[in-house]
Amino acid sequence: MLFQELGKMKRTWIMTSIILIAFGIVMMLCPVRYMQLMISALGYMLLVATVVMCLDFLSSKKTLMNYVLLTLALFVGILGLFVLVHRADVLKILSLLFGLFMIFEGLSDLFSSFVYARRAGQATWWALAIISGVTIILGVLLLVNPWWKDSFRLKQVIGEMLLFSSLASIIRTIMTWPFKSI
């Protein structure tokens, strides 16, 4: 039973990364004139996710974790409303949020590569550390935003970095997964 749940987690992580890869490719290929449509779709998707998470809470056993998930759902709903109301500023805010996310993800991956992979004796821990370092550098570059000021180039950069981050997540999951048979 535990191995089945771990297998579900691994599949979920990889599928989430594949969906983010697809979203990154769409961001890179989408013309600027359709960005407002994509931003509206993002806002509506966040609102639909909020409704689904709230309905999931209503059918749950009402444990502490379910209340935490309800709080997260309400935060996602507020974020969805914000995206729908402030469509013009979403790309700049998205670059800020995604830059912070990449920095935190890179730091977390760097920590896990040193603590788990190196101590486990995996020979590839240094590759995970390099990928984590590149992720941190890309996150800082996205926060500083030195070269791209127009929305077209910012959209391209966010898509490319989303693609890199998702591929790095898949590589990290495969390389650090403790069970080879799952």
Side-chain angles (χ1 to χ4, degrees):
M1 180 136 171
L2 176 66
F3 290 115
Q4 291 173 345
E5 290 300 317
L6 288 173
K8 287 180 189 176
M9 285 175 48
K10 181 180 178 184
R11 284 189 299 274
T12 301
W13 289 338
I14 291 175
M15 284 307 297
T16 302
S17 294
I18 290 171
I19 290 170
L20 289 176
I21 287 171
F23 188 68
I25 291 172
V26 167
M27 279 192 76
M28 289 188 310
L29 297 178
C30 181
V32 175
R33 64 177 178 248
Y34 295 123
M35 281 309 295
Q36 291 299 322
L37 179 66
M38 279 185 62
I39 290 171
S40 296
L42 174 67
Y44 289 123
M45 286 187 326
L46 290 172
L47 289 177
V48 167
T50 299
V51 170
V52 169
M53 291 170 78
C54 288
L55 290 175
D56 189 41
F57 171 77
L58 291 176
S59 67
S60 68
K61 293 183 180 184
K62 312 295 188 285
T63 61
L64 178 63
M65 186 62 193
N66 292 348
Y67 283 103
V68 169
L69 290 174
L70 176 66
T71 305
L72 178 70
L74 295 176
F75 178 72
V76 167
I78 291 171
L79 186 64
L81 286 175
F82 179 80
V83 166
L84 288 174
V85 171
H86 298 286
R87 290 185 183 134
D89 300 326
V90 169
L91 266 181
K92 294 176 184 141
I93 293 170
L94 186 62
S95 70
L96 174 73
L97 290 176
F98 190 63
L100 289 173
F101 171 74
M102 285 186 71
I103 290 172
F104 289 128
E105 182 186 22
L107 289 173
S108 171
D109 292 348
L110 187 65
F111 176 76
S112 66
S113 69
F114 280 116
V115 171
Y116 301 119
R118 191 180 78 158
R119 286 186 183 172
Q122 289 184 350
T124 58
W125 70 270
W126 58 270
L128 293 172
I130 291 172
I131 291 172
S132 302
V134 171
T135 303
I136 293 169
I137 291 169
L138 289 177
V140 169
L141 278 175
L142 195 54
L143 283 179
V144 173
N145 198 3
W147 298 292
W148 41 86
K149 298 293 182 196
D150 62 332
S151 60
F152 174 74
R153 187 66 194 137
L154 184 60
K155 174 189 72 74
Q156 291 289 109
V157 169
I158 292 172
E160 291 165 0
M161 290 187 183
L162 185 61
L163 186 65
F164 173 80
S165 175
S166 300
L167 289 173
S169 177
I170 289 174
I171 291 169
R172 186 196 74 242
T173 301
I174 290 172
M175 291 175 78
T176 61
W177 193 254
F179 308 107
K180 300 298 180 198
S181 64
I182 294 179

